[in-house]
């Protein structure tokens, strides 16, 4: 039906209520960015966070539930976004520049709104115009596809590299190596 925001997923003909607030979706994406969690556990974690009672879904329907969850998180039948060889958004890292851009589109502080449907959030996100957040994302998108940056983009990148480069969590081994190297100099 036109204009209806789903608040349940229909799996094998049964409707299962979901937590449709944008904050839940962001928690799911944050979890999925954790390289220490296997894909299998990410799928279960997604279902546990999204569905009000995921234990009600029969084991045989979990694959379909995961597909429906992906459909919901992708915004339903919205046209698919471009695929990039590496991530261009870090929901956690970009929070400080993303929310001001979203607030500008919404005309209010959306973090203070008690509830906002994930698809409403996506709609605001898709309407973000020119500004700091879009400039950061555009540079990351070009870098992800190994495209040459314009002179002004290179200058912006040099000045704001810490904002543009996505910081990845280190494995315990990598962290130990960094700590060892740092201990040699300090």
């Amino acid at each position: 039906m036109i204009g209806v925001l789903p608040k349940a997923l229909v799996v094998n003909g049964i409707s299962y209520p979901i937590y449709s607030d944008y904050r839940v979706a962001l928690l799911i994406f944050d979890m999925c960015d954790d390289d220490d969690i296997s894909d299998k556990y990410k799928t279960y974690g997604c279902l546990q966070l999204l569905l009000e009672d995921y234990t009600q879904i029969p084991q045989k329907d979990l694959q379909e539930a995961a597909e429906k969850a992906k459909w919901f998180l992708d915004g339903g039948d919205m046209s698919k976004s471009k695929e990039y060889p590496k991530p261009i958004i870090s929901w956690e890292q970009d929070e400080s520049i993303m929310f001001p851009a979203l607030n500008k589109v919404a005309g209010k502080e959306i973090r203070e709104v008690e509830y906002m449907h994930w698809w409403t959030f996506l709609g605001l996100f898709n309407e973000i115009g020119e500004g700091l957040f879009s400039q950061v994302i555009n540079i990351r998108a070009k870098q992800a596809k190994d495209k040459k940056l314009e002179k002004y983009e290179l200058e912006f990148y040099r000045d704001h590299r810490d904002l543009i480069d996505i910081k990845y969590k280190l494995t315990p081994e990598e962290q130990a190596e960094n700590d060892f190297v740092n201990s040699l100099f300090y």
Side-chain angles (χ1 to χ4, degrees):
M1 179 183 272
I2 295 175
V4 175
L5 297 172
K7 294 189 178 175
L9 298 180
V10 177
V11 179
N12 197 12
I14 300 172
S15 181
Y16 296 96
I18 59 173
Y19 297 108
S20 57
D21 187 68
Y22 79 90
R23 294 166 187 90
V24 173
L26 295 181
L27 282 173
I28 291 169
F29 292 135
D30 190 41
M31 175 198 59
C32 289
D33 283 345
D34 190 337
D35 293 332
D36 293 334
I37 302 174
S38 73
D39 288 344
K40 178 180 177 180
Y41 285 108
K42 287 177 184 178
T43 300
Y44 282 116
C46 172
L47 293 175
Q48 287 174 341
L49 288 167
L50 186 61
L51 293 155
E52 289 184 13
D53 189 2
Y54 111 103
T55 61
Q56 296 297 311
I57 299 177
Q59 185 74 27
K60 67 179 180 60
D61 293 337
L62 288 178
Q63 177 64 37
E64 182 182 346
E67 291 168 7
K68 295 290 176 84
K70 183 180 181 328
W71 168 84
F72 175 77
L73 294 169
D74 284 346
D77 293 329
M78 294 174 67
S79 61
K80 299 295 177 208
S81 61
K82 297 175 186 172
E83 294 292 324
Y84 293 93
K86 55 186 177 181
I88 63 168
I89 295 176
S90 168
W91 297 99
E92 183 178 357
Q93 179 180 323
D94 295 335
E95 181 177 7
S96 66
I97 60 172
M98 175 182 56
F99 278 106
L102 289 164
N103 293 341
K104 184 177 177 183
V105 175
K108 60 185 170 187
E109 174 57 67
I110 66 170
R111 289 171 288 194
E112 290 184 355
V113 174
E114 191 172 319
Y115 168 84
M116 180 181 289
H117 194 280
W118 170 238
W119 289 9
T120 301
F121 180 93
L122 281 178
L124 294 173
F125 189 84
N126 288 331
E127 292 301 317
I128 292 174
E130 289 187 28
L132 177 61
F133 180 70
S134 60
Q135 191 167 4
V136 167
I137 298 305
N138 288 335
I139 289 173
R140 285 182 189 160
K142 280 187 168 184
Q143 290 175 327
K145 291 195 172 190
D146 293 322
K147 290 187 177 181
K148 185 177 178 185
L149 296 178
E150 300 293 329
K151 186 176 180 179
Y152 74 92
E153 293 170 323
L154 271 172
E155 184 177 332
F156 185 85
Y157 177 70
R158 279 189 224 110
D159 292 343
H160 302 285
R161 189 176 188 145
D162 59 321
L163 191 64
I164 297 169
D165 291 342
I166 294 179
K167 294 148 192 80
Y168 296 97
K169 296 176 185 170
L170 299 177
T171 66
E173 294 80 19
E174 292 169 328
Q175 185 62 51
E177 184 177 331
N178 276 0
D179 292 345
F180 174 72
V181 170
N182 287 334
S183 72
L184 297 175
F185 297 104
Y186 300 106

